[in-house]
Amino acid sequence: MSSDQVQAGGLTITLRGAVRSATEDALQKLRDDRVASRLAAKDASLWGPAAEPEASIRLGWVDLPESSRALLPQIAEIARAKREAGLDRVVLAGMGGSSLAPEVIAASRGARLVTLDTTDAHQVRRAVETDLERTVVVVASKSGGTVETDSHRRAFEQAFTDAGIDPAERIVVVTDPGSPLAELAAERGYPTVLADPNVGGRYSALSAFGLVPSALAGVDVEALLDEAAAVAATLADEANPALVLGAALGGFGGHDKVVLAGDTPVGMGDWIEQLVAESTGKDGVGLLPVVVEGVSAPGFAPEPDTHLVVYGETAPDAPDTVDTVVTGPLGGQFLAWEYATAVAGCLLDINPFDQPNVQESKDNTKALLELSNNGTLPTGAPLLTDGAVEVHASDAAGLADVKDLASALQTLLRSVPEDGYLAVMAYLDRDAEGDGRAASLRSGLAALTPRPVTFGWGPRFLHSTGQYHKGGPANGVFLQITGEVDADLPVPGKPYSFSRLQLAQALGDFNALAERSRPTVRLHLRDRAAGLEELNRALGAIQP
């Protein structure tokens, strides 16, 4: 199959088939509007008058390949001091934009970083009870009030204190100037790196949020900025590769599912997922990223509304059916995808810098916690119980007459509309239950439906695809998975535990989806291991 290829700054974009002509039409519009030069100059008017106030304080990411260099001496000094103190286990407590990029950076550079972006009591307990004598914790929150990160901080402070360790020697803070976390860090003597307040969380890969934990883990972050700078030098060009990628994403008409596959950079698909879903999924439109296990995985197949994308640091193995191939070093890819997503926002006529529907589930969680002073959350009675699995459902799911787990799953699969998708949302232990038992559910379900299937770990997806689920097209069907906790962990200074917080987050999002009449099913595992086995057996009993 013939293709068009654009190269500059170490980045290569290859377009194939129908996406080529669609992209050329979109590029012409972008050129007519001088989008490349205006975006490089941080013109906040690109997304229309309604978006301009938000955009005017969210374009600092364009300059990060150079502006972040001012942070390097401070970051290097903190990293040196922690290494000399023998602290070689780095834990990152952060959510969404504060965790996904550092996880990719560390994994791609072969560095060890423990990412704590969960409220699962099992996972948090392991993090706070393992090798404290050599642990340094990066507490990262743009707002300074993220409930998950605040809970992590409290748990580590308690653990350090109980072990006779001064938390000020072990906690490093990354936040925006003037945030509640910045004020607390100053009071308690925590080393603090202040991020650029004009950079939104999901665009912060090359800011202090991406650089501090990565540097503490031993990554050469200056090299990362060098890779990004090479791409930055091309961004005013009206034919630069990042602009072409944005045209392909936003201009491939009718293709609103972006199926992503790539082995390197490690974890890049999850980072792209947050960036694209949270930036574009609003006002009833958007691009749904679907991260799959590889080009041979279920779900990676041509569909009328599917844009197939393969990415890699070097030329990836991409079959002819792939529409778009993105190749380049990690730092360059970070900047290119951010730029392309902002460009796609121009073509989709949405504001790529706000997240109007994220707060709703947060508010629901807070209300549930405040109402459950006795520790009991309003879970409701299950429709049925099959072995170790309880089945709960919204009215829109249509499960009133199902008799067992397999029929409930089959009914849910059949409810996915022709232009829709199924989202799996697992509020479980990503380390213990992500060994294939839970994560394999995506591919298992995808093999049973022609529609795309996404998978997200809760609550981290609430800072990612959660925006798309509620603000994007009303064609999603949702499968939540929650589970009993064997050994709970209190949140110090709060009237709730991690298990209550996690379940409140799941129920809060369930309610937000149900109120929109989105078909939603919650499977509660009364025993996690047994429940996952039964769930996989039920999938095996379903005929495609």
Side-chain angles (χ1 to χ4, degrees):
M1 180 184 294
S2 60
S3 62
D4 288 340
Q5 194 172 84
V6 183
Q7 295 177 303
L11 190 72
T12 301
I13 308 297
T14 304
L15 306 177
R16 296 168 167 174
V19 74
R20 294 166 59 203
S21 58
T23 299
E24 186 54 46
D25 291 342
L27 276 172
Q28 189 57 56
K29 180 180 186 305
L30 296 171
R31 289 169 184 145
D32 291 345
D33 293 340
R34 298 181 297 106
V35 167
S37 57
R38 290 170 64 193
L39 181 50
K42 299 190 293 185
D43 183 345
S45 68
L46 278 169
W47 300 274
E52 190 166 354
E54 179 79 17
S56 68
I57 58 170
R58 288 290 178 261
L59 288 169
W61 56 270
V62 175
D63 297 328
L64 288 177
E66 293 304 325
S67 62
S68 284
R69 294 177 192 272
L71 300 175
L72 295 181
Q74 181 190 11
I75 294 172
E77 176 57 27
I78 294 172
R80 181 196 61 76
K82 299 309 177 187
R83 282 194 300 271
E84 289 182 355
L87 306 180
D88 60 355
R89 177 177 180 260
V90 183
V91 176
L92 170 60
M95 299 298 298
S98 299
S99 66
L100 290 167
E103 186 169 74
V104 174
I105 296 167
S108 297
R109 296 300 203 251
R112 183 172 182 268
L113 178 68
V114 179
T115 304
L116 192 60
D117 56 356
T118 181
T119 48
D120 186 83
H122 300 152
Q123 197 171 335
V124 176
R125 179 179 289 278
R126 274 198 312 278
V128 300
E129 292 182 351
T130 301
D131 296 330
L132 276 182
E133 71 280 359
R134 58 185 187 88
T135 295
V136 57
V137 180
V138 179
V139 177
S141 169
K142 178 177 173 63
S143 68
T146 309
V147 65
E148 300 94 336
T149 307
D150 180 69
S151 300
H152 300 152
R153 173 188 60 79
R154 292 168 179 270
F156 270 105
E157 286 176 339
Q158 186 69 58
F160 285 134
T161 301
D162 289 347
I165 299 170
D166 182 356
E169 297 176 354
R170 301 302 188 89
I171 293 177
V172 176
V173 166
V174 182
T175 190
D176 276 7
S179 77
L181 181 57
E183 295 174 1
L184 181 143
E187 293 171 2
R188 300 190 180 179
Y190 298 158
T192 302
V193 182
L194 296 176
D196 185 341
N198 292 320
V199 177
R202 57 188 177 272
Y203 290 81
S204 66
L206 299 169
S207 76
F209 288 102
L211 302 183
V212 172
S214 302
L216 283 170
V219 174
D220 180 354
V221 293
E222 186 173 9
L224 192 75
L225 295 178
D226 290 341
E227 294 167 359
V231 170
T234 73
L235 294 185
D237 186 341
E238 297 293 344
N240 76 78
L243 187 76
V244 173
L245 177 58
L249 292 174
F252 197 8
H255 293 69
D256 62 354
K257 316 292 192 303
V258 182
V259 180
L260 299 160
D263 295 326
T264 62
V266 179
M268 189 72 174
D270 291 338
W271 178 82
I272 296 171
E273 178 184 56
Q274 185 209 14
L275 175 69
V276 173
E278 197 169 28
S279 296
T280 69
K282 58 200 72 170
D283 301 330
V285 300
L287 301 172
L288 176 71
V290 183
V291 182
V292 299
E293 299 80 6
V295 294
S296 61
F300 198 80
E303 291 290 338
D305 58 355
T306 298
H307 182 177
L308 304 179
V309 180
V310 172
Y311 57 84
E313 290 181 282
T314 57
D317 182 17
D320 288 345
T321 54
V322 170
D323 299 309
T324 304
V325 180
V326 184
T327 302
L330 178 56
Q333 288 226 31
F334 278 145
L335 185 61
W337 280 97
E338 290 166 351
Y339 182 98
T341 301
V343 168
C346 293
L347 294 169
L348 296 171
D349 195 27
I350 53 92
N351 175 3
F353 305 114
D354 67 351
Q355 49 283 329
N357 303 107
V358 167
Q359 189 62 38
E360 180 180 356
S361 290
K362 295 180 181 180
D363 291 343
N364 287 353
T365 296
K366 182 179 179 182
L368 284 167
L369 289 172
E370 290 175 348
L371 287 171
S372 61
N373 291 328
N374 62 354
T376 302
L377 290 164
T379 58
L383 289 176
L384 64 96
T385 300
D386 191 343
V389 182
E390 294 179 354
V391 180
H392 302 253
S394 67
D395 292 341
L399 299 191
D401 297 324
V402 299
K403 303 302 182 184
D404 55 27
L405 179 58
S407 61
L409 291 170
Q410 189 164 42
T411 300
L412 188 70
L413 286 165
R414 289 174 176 171
S415 70
V416 181
E418 289 187 3
D419 64 344
Y421 66 98
L422 172 64
V424 183
M425 306 169 293
Y427 289 83
L428 298 172
D429 183 338
R430 182 159 68 111
D431 293 336
E433 279 119 25
D435 59 359
R437 290 178 295 166
S440 64
L441 292 175
R442 195 217 71 82
S443 58
L445 287 160
L448 298 171
T449 175
R451 303 310 304 146
V453 178
T454 69
F455 182 93
W457 292 103
R460 85 180 204 165
F461 81 86
L462 293 175
H463 301 257
S464 175
T465 50
Q467 166 61 44
Y468 186 98
H469 293 165
K470 293 178 281 291
N475 56 12
V477 173
F478 303 93
L479 177 62
Q480 273 193 357
I481 305 171
T482 57
E484 287 296 309
V485 170
D486 296 328
D488 203 358
L489 186 68
V491 178
K494 293 293 185 179
Y496 49 81
S497 65
F498 276 96
S499 69
R500 277 184 62 205
L501 174 57
Q502 182 186 42
L503 184 56
Q505 290 176 307
L507 296 176
D509 197 47
F510 183 101
N511 293 340
L513 294 168
E515 288 167 2
R516 288 173 168 76
S517 298
R518 308 285 207 260
T520 308
V521 171
R522 180 171 72 90
L523 303 181
H524 185 70
L525 312 180
R526 300 196 295 179
D527 177 285
R528 293 194 183 194
L532 286 172
E533 289 177 5
E534 290 177 11
L535 183 50
N536 280 293
R537 280 198 298 270
L539 288 177
I542 297 174
Q543 296 299 316

